Amino acid sequence: MEPRASTSAQRLAQEAAEAAELRSYQADPDVIALRVEKVRAQVDRLCWAGIILGLAFTMANVQSFAAGDAAAWSLPWLAAWLLDPTVSLVLLAILRAEQVTARYQVRTGRWVRRAKWFTLAATYVMNTWESYAAASLSGVVLHSVPPLLVFVAAEAVTDLRDKLTEAVNVAFAEAFSVTRGSDRPGRRTPRKPARRKLFHDYLVEAREAWTPDVVITPAWVRQATGCSRGLSPRVAEALAHEIAQGGERS
């Protein structure tokens, strides 16, 4: 039974060591910051997808507004398709720049914000003009949702990037404060957990501590090795058996 018990204890000790090593990496400041970075990347992708889809929806309405009564495929009709992409590209350029400035928490000037609001307002007006002129409430609602959604998303994504950057810094600082004693600043060196002592380890310690004038008892084994009350009788019995066989020292 003893080899099987030792094997089970060794397996548990190995699992405990692996779990402790995994926790040490999970608490690493760089790992925590990387997790927040991944969330920020997901937020960026989702916001960009919504903004681009919203702008694509408005393109047909803006073209219809710009073309007016022009014949299909005429030069004015074809040129009308350029109006919405012109406005949208400027808006996307501003949002792309804000994506970088927000990452490093650099504030942009007032003209940047004015340009963004102008492009959004122009898109909204061109999208809803015909619906307002026709006094179509359903048309106003339908054509207002995409540009307003783009407007709100464009404002929200900037704040989200700024707050997520702050979250990265806070998460890194908190994790780093836990690992200040590591060898390299800012990076945690995973600690190798102490291996759990097994029956054989206690037996070796008891054997090394034993002298001929010592009476081997469970109480003495506990004092010499610090093993538990339940294990000390087995250690004492095994050590007494070795000594009786003439193996005082190994």
Side-chain angles (χ1 to χ4, degrees), residues 111-135:
W111 277 106
V112 175
R113 197 170 190 84
R114 290 172 181 173
K116 181 170 65 174
W117 283 14
F118 175 79
T119 55
L120 291 168
T123 300
Y124 177 81
V125 170
M126 290 186 295
N127 236 313
T128 58
W129 183 268
E130 292 184 347
S131 298
Y132 277 113

Side-chain angles (χ1 to χ4, degrees), residues 54-55 57-59 61-63 65 83-84 87-88 91 115-133 136-152:
L55 292 176
F57 180 86
T58 65
M59 184 178 298
N61 297 323
V62 173
Q63 192 276 341
F65 168 80
L83 179 58
D84 186 78
V87 178
S88 297
L91 174 61
K116 181 170 65 174
W117 283 14
F118 175 79
T119 55
L120 291 168
T123 300
Y124 177 81
V125 170
M126 290 186 295
N127 236 313
T128 58
W129 183 268
E130 292 184 347
S131 298
Y132 277 113
S136 173
L137 183 59
S138 60
V140 170
V141 173
L142 175 64
H143 297 127
S144 294
V145 170
L148 289 178
L149 179 62
V150 171
F151 176 81
V152 173

Side-chain angles (χ1 to χ4, degrees), residues 2 6 9-10 13 194-209 221 224-227 231 235:
E2 180 178 324
S6 299
Q10 291 173 354
R195 184 177 66 86
R196 185 175 181 179
K197 294 173 67 175
L198 307 177
F199 174 86
H200 177 72
D201 300 321
Y202 289 118
L203 180 59
V204 170
E205 289 184 7
R207 186 187 304 126
E208 292 176 351
V221 171
T225 64
C227 72
L231 187 61
V235 177

Side-chain angles (χ1 to χ4, degrees), residues 6-180:
S6 299
T7 301
S8 299
Q10 291 173 354
R11 184 172 62 254
L12 290 174
Q14 182 180 2
E15 292 176 356
E18 292 176 353
E21 184 177 5
L22 178 61
R23 287 196 303 270
S24 69
Y25 281 111
Q26 288 177 338
D28 189 280
D30 290 334
V31 174
I32 294 175
L34 179 60
R35 288 176 177 173
V36 183
E37 289 278 5
K38 289 182 178 179
V39 173
R40 178 166 57 185
Q42 293 172 358
V43 171
D44 269 343
R45 285 194 292 266
L46 292 174
C47 286
W48 274 106
I51 290 173
I52 291 175
L53 289 175
L55 292 176
F57 180 86
T58 65
M59 184 178 298
N61 297 323
V62 173
Q63 192 276 341
S64 176
F65 168 80
D69 298 329
W73 302 105
S74 64
L75 186 59
W77 186 89
L78 293 173
W81 284 105
L82 300 177
L83 179 58
D84 186 78
T86 301
V87 178
S88 297
L89 286 175
V90 174
L91 174 61
L92 293 175
I94 296 172
L95 295 178
R96 184 67 181 94
E98 286 186 339
Q99 185 179 27
V100 178
T101 56
R103 179 181 179 86
Y104 299 100
Q105 295 183 314
V106 177
R107 299 298 178 184
T108 54
R110 287 178 296 179
W111 277 106
V112 175
R113 197 170 190 84
R114 290 172 181 173
K116 181 170 65 174
W117 283 14
F118 175 79
T119 55
L120 291 168
T123 300
Y124 177 81
V125 170
M126 290 186 295
N127 236 313
T128 58
W129 183 268
E130 292 184 347
S131 298
Y132 277 113
S136 173
L137 183 59
S138 60
V140 170
V141 173
L142 175 64
H143 297 127
S144 294
V145 170
L148 289 178
L149 179 62
V150 171
F151 176 81
V152 173
E155 288 296 320
V157 72
T158 302
D159 291 338
L160 284 175
R161 292 188 193 112
D162 184 67
K163 295 303 180 183
L164 286 172
T165 298
E166 186 177 346
V168 171
N169 296 333
V170 172
F172 187 92
E174 288 183 355
F176 178 69
S177 65
V178 178
T179 59
R180 285 179 298 180

